[in-house]
């Protein structure tokens, strides 16, 4: 089984470097273009089913990818971005200046530190891994699966399958519209590719 993890395409909050979390922000013009390049990339590839976060930016990315595939799209809140609580809607610059203490604690202990009124990255990782495990069990006859999710969720999933501590999540760059690939063989998942973006390069 091949599982492709796609980060949703760009929103205005991505462009403005705002903390997005579970805020339900639409794709912007660049994000819609990126989605078209993803659709072109998957045009001649066999895809059996698409799973998507239930947030608008992920759903729209999934729907555009699917325009020529005609797959079932299964939407789930388990694939949502980490709930970033009081940080949502704030710019990263503002957070670094005004919430340095909380930010430092989160970076030192992402598994256990809860952003005020949000969730821990450990909780987000667990729900995503549990969901992927259910996909593997329930859709074991399928060979090619796409999952459209979010930056921190994908980073935490990669940490899990690479047997890295969650504190290493920041070492992964997960660009908007990027593809990371997992492969299930003999009951073991291997990470085959991280942050593939060739389909997006030199187009805009």
């Amino acid at each position: 089984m091949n599982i492709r993890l796609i980060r949703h395409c760009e929103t205005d909050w991505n462009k403005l470097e705002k903390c997005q979390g579970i805020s339900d922000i639409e794709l912007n013009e660049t994000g819609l273009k990126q989605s078209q390049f993803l659709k072109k990339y998957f045009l001649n590839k066999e895809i059996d089913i698409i799973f998507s976060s239930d947030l608008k930016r992920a759903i729209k990315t999934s729907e555009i990818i699917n325009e020529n595939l005609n797959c079932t799209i299964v939407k789930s809140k388990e694939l949502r971005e980490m709930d970033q609580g009081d940080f949502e809607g704030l710019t990263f610059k503002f957070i670094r200046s005004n919430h340095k203490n909380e930010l430092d604690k989160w970076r030192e202990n992402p598994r256990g530190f809860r952003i005020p009124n949000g969730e821990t990255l450990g909780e987000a990782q667990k729900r995503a891994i549990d969901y992927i495990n259910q996909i593997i069990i329930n859709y074991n006859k399928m060979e090619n699966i796409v999952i459209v999710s979010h930056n921190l969720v994908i980073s935490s999933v990669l940490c899990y399958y690479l047997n890295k501590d969650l504190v290493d999540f920041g070492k992964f760059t997960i660009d908007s519209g990027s593809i990371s690939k997992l492969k299930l063989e003999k009951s073991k998942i291997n990470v085959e590719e991280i942050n593939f973006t060739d389909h997006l390069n030199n187009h805009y």
Side-chain angles (χ1 to χ4, degrees), residues 21-66:
I22 62 170
S23 300
D24 210 1
I25 312 302
E26 302 268 10
L27 296 184
N28 63 13
E29 185 178 344
T30 297
L32 293 170
K33 287 179 182 177
Q34 290 172 334
S35 299
Q36 291 293 330
F37 295 133
L38 276 166
K39 179 176 78 170
K40 184 177 179 183
Y41 173 81
F42 283 107
L43 182 60
N44 297 311
K45 292 180 172 54
E46 293 290 330
I47 300 297
D48 298 305
I49 192 167
I50 298 172
F51 294 89
S52 175
S53 155
D54 66 348
L55 297 177
K56 291 174 184 174
R57 57 195 186 270
I59 292 172
K60 189 65 175 178
T61 302
S62 302
E63 288 174 345
I64 293 174
I65 290 170
N66 195 42

Side-chain angles (χ1 to χ4, degrees), residues 93-109:
K93 182 179 180 181
F94 182 89
I95 293 168
R96 286 191 292 269
S97 297
N98 295 275
H99 297 280
K100 186 177 184 303
N101 185 46
E102 294 103 317
L103 191 60
D104 287 346
K105 287 180 179 178
W106 179 62
R107 284 175 172 158
E108 290 164 7
N109 180 25

Side-chain angles (χ1 to χ4, degrees), residues 9-171:
C9 296
E10 187 183 275
T11 71
D12 280 339
W13 280 23
N14 292 137
K15 189 174 182 178
L16 295 169
E17 297 189 336
K18 284 187 175 184
C19 186
Q20 209 157 206
I22 62 170
S23 300
D24 210 1
I25 312 302
E26 302 268 10
L27 296 184
N28 63 13
E29 185 178 344
T30 297
L32 293 170
K33 287 179 182 177
Q34 290 172 334
S35 299
Q36 291 293 330
F37 295 133
L38 276 166
K39 179 176 78 170
K40 184 177 179 183
Y41 173 81
F42 283 107
L43 182 60
N44 297 311
K45 292 180 172 54
E46 293 290 330
I47 300 297
D48 298 305
I49 192 167
I50 298 172
F51 294 89
S52 175
S53 155
D54 66 348
L55 297 177
K56 291 174 184 174
R57 57 195 186 270
I59 292 172
K60 189 65 175 178
T61 302
S62 302
E63 288 174 345
I64 293 174
I65 290 170
N66 195 42
E67 283 176 358
N68 293 325
L69 299 175
N70 299 312
C71 293
T72 297
I73 298 176
V74 179
K75 302 163 193 169
S76 175
K77 65 181 181 181
E78 304 304 314
L79 295 172
R80 283 183 178 187
E81 181 60 294
M82 186 185 97
D83 183 345
Q84 291 163 52
D86 292 353
F87 285 4
E88 297 199 9
L90 303 178
T91 64
F92 298 126
K93 182 179 180 181
F94 182 89
I95 293 168
R96 286 191 292 269
S97 297
N98 295 275
H99 297 280
K100 186 177 184 303
N101 185 46
E102 294 103 317
L103 191 60
D104 287 346
K105 287 180 179 178
W106 179 62
R107 284 175 172 158
E108 290 164 7
N109 180 25
R111 182 173 299 283
F113 183 77
R114 185 180 309 282
I115 291 172
N117 295 310
E119 66 181 328
T120 71
L121 188 54
E123 289 169 340
Q125 182 192 55
K126 183 180 186 307
R127 63 173 159 80
I129 294 298
D130 287 349
Y131 193 76
I132 290 172
N133 286 338
Q134 286 303 307
I135 290 172
I136 291 167
I137 292 167
N138 296 330
Y139 298 87
N140 59 79
K141 302 263 192 261
M142 295 187 176
E143 287 297 317
N144 295 289
I145 289 170
V146 164
I147 296 175
V148 182
S149 189
H150 304 265
N151 178 29
L152 293 175
V153 167
I154 293 172
S155 296
S156 70
V157 166
L158 292 173
C159 281
Y160 181 85
Y161 289 119
L162 289 168
N163 295 312
K164 290 184 176 292
D165 192 284
L166 200 48
V167 77
D168 291 327
F169 80 92
K171 295 179 181 178

